[in-house]
Amino acid sequence: MHFTSEQRLDDGVLEREFTLDEIPGILWTPASASASEPAPLILLGHPPLGLRRMYPRLVARARHSAADGFATATIELPGSGDRPRWPAIDQARTDLRRAMEAGEPVSDGIVDALVLPLVDKAVPEWQAALDALLSLPEIGGPVGYSGGVISIGIRLAVVEPRISAAVLFAGSFVPRALFEEAQQVTVPLHVLLQWDDEGNDRQAALDLFDAFGSKEKSLHAHLGGHTGVPQSAGDAAAQFFTRHLR
């Protein structure tokens, strides 16, 4: 991990940009974090729109978490932002848009082509980032995962034993194979669902929640579209992480 920039935000949060094997990322640590008092870590997932575009939302989430004593970090997803283009994924996105604009059902083939390669590539990168982050003296466990592409969250929760709890955002297309993996998830889950999300199959989201194998899981549904998540939802997610990571 190589830090490329550093700035102290006005609330005392330390923001550091880094690269890890040419993958860009950002780490935020609260002012209270130190080698003698390392902060628990939350991995901030995000949609494949690029870190620059997602930065305002990510830094807001990071500040909110820092106020609760958590460090947070994120990395750029494959094929997004400043990373090299991924023609196969770009084609799958084009096929998805075409189907949705035409009002046609989105086939399993499109969903698999769009999501499965992304999960297969992104999850080991998140694990490598976690290795590097936990080697820093001011960062400690336990670790949580929050938001982003829900299929990535599912795979991480299954294969990464250092993740102790997860907040997942319903709303991305989930391959049938990930429904099967969801049965292997055992960590506590807090799942957010926008009831009127125009880009989400509500019943599929409910079916996925039912498939999760966790003994502790809660579904928080709110009226409104994809971008209409109320502030109270973020507060509830923060309380969830406080219960399970502190």
Side-chain angles (χ1 to χ4, degrees):
M1 174 179 283
H2 173 63
F3 289 107
T4 58
S5 71
E6 177 179 314
Q7 66 170 329
R8 184 75 66 173
L9 305 182
D10 55 16
D11 54 1
V13 175
L14 180 62
E15 177 184 278
R16 287 175 284 177
E17 296 187 5
F18 64 84
T19 58
L20 181 67
D21 295 330
E22 301 184 349
I23 302 169
I26 309 174
L27 169 64
W28 294 272
T29 49
S32 60
S34 66
S36 60
E37 191 176 346
L41 176 66
I42 298 174
L43 303 177
L44 297 183
H46 54 89
L49 301 174
L51 283 183
R52 295 181 189 277
R53 181 173 172 183
M54 292 302 302
Y55 176 81
R57 298 185 200 176
L58 289 166
V59 73
R61 291 163 63 191
R63 286 176 183 257
H64 195 288
S65 296
D68 293 328
F70 296 110
T72 51
T74 192
I75 58 174
E76 188 74 87
L77 291 176
S80 298
D82 295 330
R83 295 188 64 178
R85 302 310 307 169
W86 193 348
I89 295 294
D90 289 341
Q91 182 59 55
R93 288 173 182 157
T94 298
D95 294 341
L96 174 65
R97 283 195 300 270
R98 184 181 298 119
M100 295 183 69
E101 289 170 359
E104 299 173 352
V106 178
S107 70
D108 289 346
I110 292 177
V111 174
D112 288 355
L114 178 66
V115 179
L116 290 178
L118 180 63
V119 171
D120 289 343
K121 187 170 178 62
V123 166
E125 293 178 351
W126 274 111
Q127 291 181 289
L130 187 54
D131 291 340
L133 291 162
L134 290 178
S135 73
L136 300 174
E138 69 274 23
I139 306 297
V143 179
Y145 177 83
S146 175
V149 178
I150 194 169
S151 293
I152 292 176
I154 293 169
R155 176 70 60 78
L156 268 173
V158 171
V159 304
E160 181 47 72
R162 291 172 291 185
I163 291 180
S164 301
V167 171
L168 302 178
F169 298 172
S172 53
F173 293 96
V174 180
R176 294 184 185 277
L178 269 298
F179 273 76
E180 297 178 7
E181 290 189 36
Q183 299 174 31
Q184 303 173 47
V185 174
T186 59
V187 299
L189 293 179
H190 179 105
V191 182
L192 297 173
L193 170 64
Q194 284 302 104
W195 200 251
D196 306 301
D197 189 339
E198 58 280 1
N200 183 40
D201 183 329
R202 182 195 303 162
Q203 188 58 54
L206 295 173
D207 291 344
L208 178 61
F209 179 78
D210 190 49
F212 284 122
S214 301
K215 292 183 178 179
E216 181 183 339
K217 58 181 180 179
S218 59
L219 178 67
H220 298 254
H222 302 273
L223 296 178
H226 186 71
T227 59
V229 180
Q231 178 61 43
S232 60
D235 294 339
Q239 292 168 9
F240 169 83
F241 277 133
T242 296
R243 288 197 306 275
H244 291 287
L245 301 184
R246 295 199 66 83

